[in-house]
Amino acid sequence: MAKLEPVSASAIQTKLLIGGQWVDGLAGATIDVINPYDGSTIVSVAEAREEDVERAVLAAKAAAPAWGRMAAHDRGRLLLKLADRIEADADHLVRLEAMNTGHPVRDCMNLDLPRTVLCYRYFGGMADKLEGSVIPVDAGFLNYVEREPIGVVGQIVPWNFPLMFTSWKLGPALAAGNTVVLKPSEITPLSALRIGELITEVGFPPGVVNILTGYGHTVGQRIAEHRDIGKVSFTGSTNVGRKIVQASAGNLKKVQLELGGKGPNIIFEDANIPAAVGGSAFAIFHNQGQACIAGSRLIIHESVKDEFLQRFIGLARSIRMGDPLDTETEMGPLTSKVHHERVLNFIEVAKQQGSEILAGGRVPEGGALAGGYFIEPTIVTAEPGDRVSNEEVFGPFVSVTTFRTDEEALALANGVSYGLGAGLWTSNIQRAHRFAKAIHAGMVWINCYKRVHPGSPFGGVGESGYGREMGFEAMREYTQPKSVWVNVDAEIPPFYRR
Ligand code: NAD
C-alpha cells in the first residue's frame, strides 16, 4: 500500500486564465473547492461572473484570426508539446484529480491521464489531416470545399472526469483552429486550471484558451447565450442541456450536447460469465458509477441469473473503498455532498418501489471512511417502469431485470429516453451484430464495456444529446464547410437578354 502526498495548496492555481494572464474575477468572489474524502476545503478559486465572460470572449476573439490562420501543423505541434508536458506532469495532475474528484489515484494514473495524453496527441496529429474536397460540378467550374474554424467556441465541462473531458473538448477545438472559453465545473476546477498553466508554459498564444471557474447559472448561461460565441459544446445533465439549447437561440449558435445516459448491459445465456461479471462491475462501479456511459441497467437472461448474480454480488462486496490517494483504493467517495444525498435518495426510492437490495445500499459506517461521501456498491432488483430503471442515478447503483427472449431483451434495452452507451455479452456473433444495429445508442460494446479512444466518435442519441466528440467527427463539429465556386473556362450566357 502506498499513500501519495496531497498537492499542497500553494502549488494549486486558483485564478482565471484570460488573455494569457492569471487574474481575479472582477467581483472578487471565490468558490471553495472541497475534498470529497474528508469534506475539507482544498483551496478557494476565483469565481468568474458574467462580466468576466465578456473579458474572456474579447480575448478569444482577438486571438482567433491569427490562430485560425496559423499553419495547421504548427497548431498540431503545440498540442503535441502539451501532450508531452502533461505526461511529464503526471504525478502532480493525478494527485490533484484524485483529491478534487474522489476518483482513485490508481484509475487517474491508469486511465484518465493516459487517455488525456492520447487525446491531445491524437488531435495534435489530426490538425493537418482534415482535408477539404473538390466537388465534380458543371463543366468549366471548379468547386472546392474548405473546412473553416468556427471562431470562438464555448465549452462547458461536468465534474465526473474533469481532466479527461477537458482534453476531449480542447483537443479538437484547438486543432481545428478555434479559440476557446472553457468553464470547468465549479465542483472540480483544479485539473483544468493546471492544464491552463501547462498551455501557457508550452507557448500557446495568449487568448487562445481562456478558463473561467464559475457557476453554471451565471458563467455557463452567459457562455451559452453570448452572441460572439459561434458554438457551445456542453457535457452535463439533460436538464441543463435543454437550458443550453434555449440560451443559444439568440445568435443561433451551433450546439453540441453530451448528456445523460441509462446504459443497458445485457447478459445473454451464452455469455462468458466470468468475463461478463468483471466487465459489468467495471461498467457500473468504475468512478463510483459517476459516468454518463455507465452500464447502470443489468438485463440478464433468466437461465444465467443466479450464477451471474452470485459472482457479481461477491465482486461488488469485495471492492476496496478508501482514500483516493491510496494506490490500493478501488472506489473513492462520490464527488460532492449534494450528489451523495441525491444517490442515497435514489436508494430510498428503490426501496419504496419494492426493489430488493441485493448488495450495498448503505453508507459505510465509522473508520477512515466516516468523513467522506462514500456509498457501498449497490445492486437492486427493479421493474422496467420503476423510477430507478429510467432515471439516471449516476452513482455506484445498478438495477437488475431479467428476460427470456431476445425480443424482450431488446425492448428492455430500448425502453428508456436515453441512448448513449450499451453493452452486450454473448458468444453468438450473429446476435451480437443484430443487437448492435437494433440498440438505440451512440456506442455499443460487445463483450467489453466503456472502451473509448480519441479516434472513435463519442456521443448519444435521443435525450443523451447530439453531436459527437472525438475522431474526424469532432473535427467536423468544430469547423464549418465553405463552398467556393471558380469559373475556370465556362461560357455563361447572359441570364437577362436585353
Ligand atoms: P450539470 O448539467 O449540472 O453541469 C454540467 C456543467 O454545466 C457544469 O460546468 C455546470 O456548472 C454547468 N451548468 C449548470 N447549469 C448551467 C446553465 N444553466 N447554463 C450553462 N451551464 C450550466 O451536470 P453535472 O452534474 O456536472 O454532470 C453530471 C451529468 O453529466 C450527468 O447527467 C451525466 O450523465 C452527464 N455527462 C454526460 C457525458 C456525455 O458525454 N454524454 C459525460 C459525462 C457526464
Side-chain angles (χ1 to χ4, degrees):
M1 170 173 130
K3 185 154 178 304
L4 304 186
E5 281 298 310
V7 177
S8 75
S10 60
I12 298 176
Q13 179 57 252
T14 59
K15 298 202 176 197
L16 314 175
L17 178 60
I18 300 180
Q21 303 293 318
W22 291 100
V23 297
D24 289 316
L26 288 175
T30 57
I31 302 174
D32 288 344
V33 181
I34 306 299
N35 181 338
Y37 176 58
D38 56 12
S40 63
T41 300
I42 304 171
V43 284
S44 299
V45 296
E47 182 199 332
R49 298 263 175 92
E50 288 88 339
E51 55 271 28
D52 300 304
V53 178
E54 299 307 320
R55 293 200 287 169
V57 172
L58 278 177
K61 222 174 139 180
W67 180 248
R69 268 199 314 271
M70 182 187 275
H73 56 258
D74 286 331
R75 288 198 302 265
R77 196 168 46 86
L78 280 170
L79 282 163
L80 295 172
K81 271 173 85 173
L82 177 63
D84 290 346
R85 188 64 192 84
I86 292 171
E87 216 163 32
D89 197 55
D91 173 61
H92 181 100
L93 269 169
V94 297
R95 287 182 295 137
L96 201 58
E97 189 79 336
M99 285 165 67
N100 193 177
T101 62
H103 202 156
V105 75
R106 182 190 80 140
D107 296 354
C108 297
M109 269 189 281
N110 296 331
L111 292 172
D112 304 39
L113 198 282
R115 284 177 172 177
T116 296
V117 170
L118 193 66
C119 179
Y120 286 114
R121 223 162 249 158
Y122 176 87
F123 286 106
M126 172 73 91
D128 57 1
K129 311 291 183 298
L130 186 73
E131 297 174 350
S133 52
V134 176
I135 313 295
V137 290
D138 309 310
F141 288 96
L142 167 67
N143 177 246
Y144 63 90
V145 179
E146 282 191 309
R147 299 215 63 104
E148 294 186 329
I150 291 163
V152 179
V153 301
Q155 304 187 316
I156 302 175
V157 183
W159 47 258
N160 56 335
F161 291 96
L163 175 66
M164 195 173 74
F165 284 159
T166 295
S167 73
W168 292 14
K169 299 254 178 260
L170 289 180
L174 296 174
N178 301 285
T179 58
V180 175
V181 176
L182 179 129
K183 190 194 93 60
S185 165
E186 58 277 18
I187 299 167
T188 56
L190 301 186
S191 54
L193 293 174
R194 180 65 183 155
I195 293 295
E197 289 183 316
L198 304 183
I199 279 173
T200 46
E201 236 182 86
V202 300
F204 278 81
V208 169
V209 177
N210 305 277
I211 302 178
L212 300 179
T213 48
Y215 293 105
H217 65 280
T218 52
V219 175
Q221 171 79 17
R222 188 73 193 111
I223 288 175
E225 65 194 13
H226 204 291
R227 298 189 77 86
D228 289 336
I229 292 183
K231 164 181 169 143
V232 63
S233 170
F234 170 78
T235 301
S237 58
T238 296
N239 279 342
V240 174
R242 288 195 180 92
K243 292 186 190 170
I244 300 278
V245 173
Q246 282 160 0
S248 71
N251 70 335
L252 298 172
K253 61 172 61 65
K254 254 183 132 170
V255 179
Q256 179 190 346
L257 300 174
E258 306 291 347
L259 309 176
K262 192 73 186 170
N265 186 22
I266 312 173
I267 317 296
F268 289 97
E269 70 278 16
D270 57 0
N272 172 336
I273 297 294
V277 166
S280 302
F282 174 68
I284 184 62
F285 298 130
H286 166 239
N287 198 25
Q288 296 78 263
Q290 301 169 129
C292 50
I293 53 176
S296 53
R297 289 185 295 141
L298 266 172
I299 300 172
I300 313 178
H301 194 273
E302 222 177 50
S303 65
V304 291
K305 181 187 124 196
D306 290 344
E307 184 193 353
F308 180 91
L309 282 180
Q310 190 200 7
R311 288 171 185 253
F312 187 65
I313 290 167
L315 178 50
R317 288 188 176 141
S318 73
I319 291 175
R320 282 191 300 274
M321 287 189 281
D323 183 345
L325 284 175
D326 185 334
T327 55
E328 296 291 310
T329 293
E330 294 172 328
M331 183 181 276
L334 276 76
T335 301
S336 74
K337 189 167 190 285
V338 168
H339 188 57
H340 187 244
E341 282 160 12
R342 186 175 171 273
V343 175
L344 287 176
N345 184 52
F346 268 113
I347 294 174
E348 284 314 307
V349 168
K351 287 180 187 161
Q352 281 159 20
Q353 294 205 319
S355 289
E356 188 186 346
I357 309 290
L358 302 175
R362 290 171 312 193
V363 173
E365 279 172 13
L369 306 184
Y373 311 138
F374 287 90
I375 295 182
E376 292 173 347
T378 299
I379 306 167
V380 309
T381 61
E383 296 299 322
D386 291 350
R387 271 185 65 195
V388 295
S389 300
N390 291 279
E391 294 178 29
E392 186 180 43
V393 177
F394 217 59
F397 178 102
V398 62
S399 64
V400 176
T401 317
T402 56
F403 70 94
R404 284 195 201 132
T405 64
D406 280 15
E407 291 67 33
E408 244 182 286
L410 187 62
L412 286 168
N414 286 348
V416 296
S417 55
Y418 294 111
L420 194 57
L424 54 105
W425 302 80
T426 179
S427 51
N428 179 331
I429 192 167
Q430 288 174 313
R431 171 194 276 153
H433 289 291
R434 209 169 56 240
F435 267 75
K437 212 180 243 315
I439 286 183
H440 189 61
M443 294 156 286
V444 177
W445 295 283
I446 299 170
N447 295 330
C448 58
Y449 204 99
K450 253 180 163 187
R451 301 297 312 177
V452 293
H453 185 277
S456 184
F458 185 102
V461 298
E463 292 188 19
S464 292
Y466 45 77
R468 291 292 180 270
E469 303 205 279
M470 318 282 237
F472 271 100
E473 296 286 346
M475 291 295 280
R476 285 194 198 98
E477 298 266 352
Y478 280 105
T479 53
Q480 49 212 356
K482 178 178 275 174
S483 169
V484 180
W485 288 81
V486 186
N487 180 348
V488 180
D489 57 5
E491 288 269 336
I492 312 176
F495 191 72
Y496 300 103
R497 300 189 185 280
R498 298 281 186 273

